[in-house]
């Protein structure tokens, strides 16, 4: 493995560990705040200065909770949705396999779950409303603080002074504790969301939008590189020569190699071998993979017929063609046309020419 690949893997591991630490830290903060709030609530049920500490702690943590919610709402990142540009039409002279490859690239796999942007909209609405209402009511803050102090003087009478119940200094310090909690919670969650949670949101979006074909190939990579090198040398293909020396191959790269192998003499043998190496990878979720396997088994079926091979071998090859064609169409119905074109004997890519009148095949591509 190249040094750059090792460095990239180590960097990915560090980033993953850092994301996990930030997520765990947020959970720990939530647990600590909840536990502390319950603890202060228990203290508030006692008397004298212990109850005063409990009430003061509750005020602070209520402020932290409200300020944290506001800080989060004001810093929620917006997910930028971009429509995929329409693919350029394939050239008329393109072969059937080339057009299928273009279709595989252009027709991206639709995501079953889209990003729920309700949080973004709620954040935008609430922040706009809070700013508007706050500006109109800013003049009544002193009255609100006085009402809060009066509430504490009536309800937080935890001291006994000269035989009378009293709230002590709580009515005076209560509003300041609330403000301290609001400011602290707002600053902490605003900064935490901007610096740490925003990258987590972005990471989730990237993972959700990641195409299967873009995933790295993790099995039998040397075999695919050898096949690419062979093609590059035999057909003077620069892309294949470049692929053969790449540090990492994607699943799409492996499918491109199989496609090019099919153009080689007796290429179906190598194509089937390489294709079978992908049966335990996410490639089986891509219609184009099954399209290529149908083409490879179609070439094999034609070779068996031409050589007068036993009926049993021909039957197995035919069943493999039909099975691959069904799976390709099941994953993407657009491949019906591409498969039907392979059955045209006059076409350059006529891997399925023996299936032009096959009723089972025609039922699949109809």
């Amino acid at each position: 493995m190249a040094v750059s690949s090792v460095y990239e893997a180590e960097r990915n591991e560090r980033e993953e560990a850092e994301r996990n630490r930030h997520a765990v830290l947020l959970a720990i903060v939530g647990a600590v705040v909840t536990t502390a709030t319950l603890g202060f609530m228990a203290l508030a049920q006692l008397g004298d200065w212990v109850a005063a500490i409990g009430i003061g702690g509750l005020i602070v943590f209520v402020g932290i909770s409200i300020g944290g919610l506001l800080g989060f709402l004001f810093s929620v990142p917006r997910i930028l949705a971009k429509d995929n540009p329409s693919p350029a039409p394939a050239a008329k002279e393109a072969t059937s396999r080339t057009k299928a490859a273009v279709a595989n690239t252009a027709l991206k796999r639709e995501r079953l779950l889209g990003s729920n942007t309700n949080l973004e909209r709620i954040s935008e609405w609430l922040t706009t409303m809070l700013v508007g209402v706050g500006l109109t009511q800013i003049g009544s803050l002193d009255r609100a603080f006085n009402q809060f102090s009066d509430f504490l003087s009536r309800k937080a009478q935890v001291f006994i002074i000269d035989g009378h119940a009293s709230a002590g200094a709580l009515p005076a310090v209560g509003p300041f504790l609330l403000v301290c909690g609001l400011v602290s919670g707002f600053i902490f969650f605003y900064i935490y969301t901007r610096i740490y949670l925003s990258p987590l949101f972005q990471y989730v979006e990237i993972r959700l939008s990641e195409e299967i074909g873009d995933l790295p190939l993790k099995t039998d990579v040397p075999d695919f590189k050898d096949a690419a090198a062979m093609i590059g040398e035999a057909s003077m293909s620069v892309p294949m020569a470049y692929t053969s020396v790449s540090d990492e191959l994607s699943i799409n790269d492996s499918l491109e190699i199989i496609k090019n192998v099919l153009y080689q003499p007796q290429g179906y043998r190598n194509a089937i071998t390489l294709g079978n190496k992908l049966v335990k990878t996410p490639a089986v979720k891509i219609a184009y993979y099954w399209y290529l396997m149908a083409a490879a088994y179609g070439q094999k079926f034609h070779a068996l017929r031409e050589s007068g091979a036993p009926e049993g071998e021909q039957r197995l090859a035919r069943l493999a063609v039909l099975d691959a064609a069904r799976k390709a169409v099941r994953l993407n119905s657009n491949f019906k046309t591409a498969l039907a074109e392979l059955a045209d004997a006059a076409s350059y890519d006529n891997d399925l020419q023996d299936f032009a009148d096959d009723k089972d095949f025609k039922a699949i591509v109809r």
Side-chain angles (χ1 to χ4, degrees), residues 342-356:
L342 292 181
D344 183 4
S347 173
Y348 180 75
D349 289 329
N350 54 7
D351 307 300
L352 303 179
Q353 57 183 307
D354 300 307
F355 291 81

Side-chain angles (χ1 to χ4, degrees), residues 11 41 84-85 114 127 130 139 161 181 202 207 272 284 289:
R11 189 183 67 176
M41 184 176 67
N84 289 330
T127 51
L130 289 172
I161 301 177
Q202 184 181 18
R207 291 301 301 269
I272 292 174
V284 295
Y289 164 77

Side-chain angles (χ1 to χ4, degrees), residues 120 154 212 277:
E120 294 176 25
R154 296 193 310 270
I212 293 179
K277 295 179 183 296

Side-chain angles (χ1 to χ4, degrees), residues 268-282:
Y268 69 88
R269 300 177 185 272
N270 201 11
I272 292 174
T273 300
L274 292 174
N276 287 335
K277 295 179 183 296
L278 299 178
V279 293
K280 294 184 179 180
T281 72

Side-chain angles (χ1 to χ4, degrees), residues 82-328:
K82 296 182 180 179
D83 296 329
N84 289 330
S86 300
K92 293 183 178 180
E93 63 273 13
T95 65
S96 299
R97 284 202 290 264
T98 301
K99 287 189 285 186
V102 172
N104 180 62
T105 303
L107 297 174
K108 296 296 185 181
R109 179 174 59 94
E110 294 183 2
R111 282 168 54 182
L112 299 179
L113 296 176
S115 298
N116 190 331
T117 59
N118 289 340
L119 181 60
E120 294 176 25
R121 288 194 288 267
I122 292 173
S123 171
E124 186 174 354
W125 295 337
L126 285 178
T127 51
T128 303
M129 181 184 67
L130 289 172
V131 171
V133 173
L135 291 176
T136 59
Q137 300 296 320
I138 194 170
S140 60
L141 283 178
D142 57 341
R143 185 169 67 252
F145 284 136
N146 287 331
Q147 291 174 350
F148 182 55
S149 295
D150 293 340
F151 172 81
L152 290 176
S153 64
R154 296 193 310 270
K155 300 296 183 179
Q157 297 178 352
V158 295
F159 298 102
I160 302 297
I161 301 177
D162 297 332
H164 299 286
S166 171
L170 282 176
V173 301
F176 294 101
L177 294 176
L178 182 62
V179 171
C180 288
L182 283 169
V183 174
S184 300
F186 182 88
I187 292 176
F188 175 80
F189 277 93
Y190 183 87
I191 294 176
Y192 195 88
T193 302
R194 295 287 290 178
I195 296 178
Y196 300 120
L197 292 187
S198 293
L200 284 176
F201 290 146
Q202 184 181 18
Y203 175 74
V204 171
E205 283 301 305
I206 292 174
R207 291 301 301 269
L208 287 176
S209 61
E210 191 174 48
E211 296 295 329
I212 293 179
D214 295 331
L215 296 175
L217 181 66
K218 296 182 178 180
T219 179
D220 298 299
V221 175
D223 293 337
F224 283 92
K225 287 187 175 183
D226 290 342
M230 179 193 68
I231 298 169
E233 183 177 350
S235 59
M236 303 298 292
S237 172
V238 175
M240 285 293 100
Y242 176 79
T243 300
S244 67
V245 296
S246 297
D247 292 335
E248 185 178 81
L249 297 183
S250 67
I251 291 177
N252 277 338
D253 291 331
S254 68
L255 298 182
E256 186 67 16
I257 292 171
I258 294 175
K259 186 198 82 170
N260 282 273
V261 165
L262 286 172
Y263 286 105
Q264 305 301 313
Q266 299 291 312
Y268 69 88
R269 300 177 185 272
N270 201 11
I272 292 174
T273 300
L274 292 174
N276 287 335
K277 295 179 183 296
L278 299 178
V279 293
K280 294 184 179 180
T281 72
V284 295
K285 299 179 182 179
I286 301 177
Y288 186 52
Y289 164 77
W290 293 110
Y291 167 85
L292 293 175
M293 294 303 290
Y297 279 111
Q299 287 189 13
K300 179 179 180 179
F301 180 77
H302 182 74
L304 292 174
R305 288 191 64 179
E306 290 292 311
S307 63
E311 289 294 327
E313 293 185 28
Q314 294 186 40
R315 184 173 63 255
L316 290 177
R318 174 181 176 273
L319 292 176
V321 170
L322 297 177
D323 179 63
R326 287 192 190 95
K327 290 177 178 178

